[in-house]
């Protein structure tokens, strides 16, 4: 049994966790920065990086104390090395390097997306490779075949916004604050999902790619029209995202014989999305797994777990490993027309 310290700082959550190779979470702590970014309606990179500098060391102290461990008793230090907001990534990665250097323990540089991708295996011991993964977060919306640790085949990505980004933008238009996902989900519960006609971009298209920019513009027009209840707009928007995720994922299932469908990333915390994809898996005769909500949104337990999986496979990193703003899980995947700057 090995113990891995995980550190996460790639966006607006500072997090530390201690996880064992036999899936015990010894301690974990997450501090978000919602109030710091709220006035701007989105994450301000420099504010985020400065907050990680202030918060992360205390979280590391806290999880070690809670688990009753000294740094010399962990087997490896895993830190997110990208992709993400580069200032924040550098803060957490350098903290991990410093701990590894001082304790003489190996460093595992973890791809944040691999953290999300492997997260369901932390809570589902029976989830075997391969599985088809819908990874939907604030920065990404991808369908990937997860074949093993470090072995990913990307089937689709978004040609414009990520699903979580769409939730955040729609919430901003409705004055619901940041982050938008939970706020939209709460308001949608009081609305009629059929009240406002909204588009389902790319639904029915051959490749399983995603698009959400047109949906955002339609929400903007619906808000501007001033004739709809905000709850109806929220519910109709959420339904459009659900329909789009289900249609695109169904298309990917056509070209993958992976026995299990898995959903991860912050957007997978959404109850309507979880339920719809569970139904899809059942209809297609596939198994289904989704991590608990706290493991869907950014956290360090998933980084520690990905670190544990990589460490077990002998994959450790030198202390000169770089921080990377962009770092695709499948480097061989073709660029998608219209995909802009998103990985
Ligand atoms: O995985 P995550 O915490 O950070 C990234 O790696 O991006 O995902 C954050 C995203 C945000 O866009 C947030 O609005 C969305 O996940 N999100 C949700 C929900 N909770 C978080 N979207 C829809 N419904 C939710 N309940
Ligand atoms: Zn994330």
């Amino acid at each position: 049994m090995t113990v891995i310290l995980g550190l996460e700082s790639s966006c607006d959550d500072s997090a530390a966790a201690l996880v064992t190779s036999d899936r015990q979470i010894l301690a974990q702590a997450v501090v978000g920065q919602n109030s710091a970014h709220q006035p701007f309606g989105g994450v301000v990179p420099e504010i985020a990086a400065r907050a990680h500098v202030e918060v992360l060391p205390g979280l590391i102290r806290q999880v070690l104390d809670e688990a009753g461990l000294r740094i010399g008793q962990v087997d490896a230090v895993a830190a997110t090395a990208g992709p993400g907001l580069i200032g924040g990534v550098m803060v957490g990665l350098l903290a991990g390097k410093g701990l590894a250097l001082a304790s003489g323990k190996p460093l595992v540089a973890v791809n944040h997306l691999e953290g999300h991708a492997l997260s369901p295996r932390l809570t589902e011991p029976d989830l075997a490779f391969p599985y088809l993964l819908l990874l939907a977060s604030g920065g990404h919306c991808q369908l990937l075949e997860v074949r093993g640790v470090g072995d990913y085949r990307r089937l689709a990505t978004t040609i414009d916004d990520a699903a979580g980004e769409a939730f955040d933008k729609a919430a901003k238009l409705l004055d619901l604050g940041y982050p938008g996902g939970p706020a939209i989900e709460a308001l949608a519960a009081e609305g009629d999902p059929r009240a406002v006609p909204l588009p389902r971009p790319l639904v029915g298209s051959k490749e399983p790619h995603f698009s959400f920019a047109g949906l955002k513009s339609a929400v903007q027009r619906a808000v501007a029209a001033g004739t709809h209840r905000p709850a109806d707009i929220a519910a109709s928007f959420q339904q459009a995202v659900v329909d789009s995720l289900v249609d695109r994922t169904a298309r990917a299932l056509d070209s993958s014989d992976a026995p299990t469908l898995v959903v991860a990333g912050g957007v997978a915390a959404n109850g309507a999305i979880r339920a719809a994809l569970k139904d899809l898996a059942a209809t297609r005769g596939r198994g289904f797994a989704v991590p608990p909500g706290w493991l869907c949104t950014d956290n360090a337990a998933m980084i520690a777990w990905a670190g544990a999986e990589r460490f077990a496979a002998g994959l450790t990193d030198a202390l000169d490993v770089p921080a990377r703003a962009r770092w695709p899980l499948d480097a061989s995947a073709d660029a998608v027309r219209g995909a802009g700057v998103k990985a």
Side-chain angles (χ1 to χ4, degrees):
M1 200 261 282
T2 55
V3 181
I4 312 293
L5 171 67
L7 305 177
E8 162 58 32
S9 60
S10 65
C11 191
D12 60 342
D13 294 295
S14 312
L18 285 158
V19 171
T20 70
S21 52
D22 60 359
R23 297 183 162 81
Q24 298 171 63
I25 298 160
L26 301 179
Q28 68 155 326
V30 187
V31 172
Q33 309 169 355
N34 290 346
S35 56
H37 301 289
Q38 194 114 46
F40 307 96
V43 179
V44 182
E46 185 174 332
I47 293 176
R50 288 172 183 271
H52 293 307
V53 167
E54 292 167 19
V55 170
L56 205 49
L59 296 183
I60 296 167
R61 176 81 274 154
Q62 184 184 328
V63 294
L64 285 168
D65 285 351
E66 218 174 292
L69 293 176
R70 285 173 287 104
I71 188 67
Q73 293 172 295
V74 309
D75 294 283
V77 179
T80 298
L85 301 173
I86 195 65
V89 172
M90 288 197 285
V91 172
L93 180 59
L94 191 55
K97 288 184 179 193
L99 290 167
L101 184 61
S103 64
K105 302 295 175 173
L107 174 75
V108 186
V110 172
N111 183 314
H112 179 85
L113 302 175
E114 183 165 49
H116 282 300
L118 299 177
S119 64
R121 283 167 52 84
L122 172 57
T123 46
E124 302 263 350
D126 299 330
L127 177 60
F129 301 120
Y131 49 86
L132 184 79
L133 171 73
L134 169 61
L135 200 176
S137 69
H140 298 87
C141 193
Q142 304 188 346
L143 284 155
L144 297 147
E145 221 173 49
V146 180
R147 299 162 156 180
V149 176
D151 186 4
Y152 305 91
R153 184 169 73 102
R154 198 190 75 189
L155 303 177
T157 188
T158 177
I159 64 166
D160 42 55
D161 294 347
E165 192 177 358
F167 271 95
D168 295 334
K169 286 179 174 174
K172 196 170 178 178
L173 290 166
L174 288 166
D175 261 332
L176 298 176
Y178 176 85
I184 294 261
E185 184 174 11
L187 187 59
E190 295 154 33
D192 174 1
R194 290 169 310 261
V196 186
L198 294 172
R200 271 79 174 144
L202 292 188
V203 159
S205 74
K206 192 163 145 282
E207 300 282 332
H209 295 307
F210 300 92
S211 168
F212 295 104
L215 176 57
K216 184 211 73 182
S217 305
V219 168
Q220 192 164 23
R221 288 190 294 273
V223 172
T227 49
H228 301 288
R229 292 168 58 223
D232 288 341
I233 297 176
S236 301
F237 164 80
Q238 181 171 276
Q239 190 59 49
V241 175
V242 167
D243 291 348
S244 157
L245 294 177
V246 168
D247 177 85
R248 312 288 61 220
T249 305
R251 186 55 57 118
L253 283 171
D254 290 341
S255 61
S256 167
D257 46 21
T260 311
L261 172 64
V262 171
V263 196
V267 176
N270 184 286
I273 290 169
R274 295 164 81 93
L277 290 158
K278 187 176 180 191
D279 282 353
L280 171 67
T283 314
R284 294 302 191 93
R286 316 281 176 117
F288 180 75
V290 61
W294 63 264
L295 192 53
C296 290
T297 49
D298 285 349
N299 65 88
M302 71 180 192
I303 303 303
W305 175 250
E309 297 237 49
R310 292 188 75 81
F311 183 67
L315 300 168
T316 59
D317 294 274
L319 288 176
D320 63 354
V321 65
R324 301 172 65 172
R326 301 188 62 191
W327 186 4
L329 273 183
D330 178 359
S332 71
D334 295 334
V336 177
R337 194 173 57 86
V341 295
K342 298 200 178 66

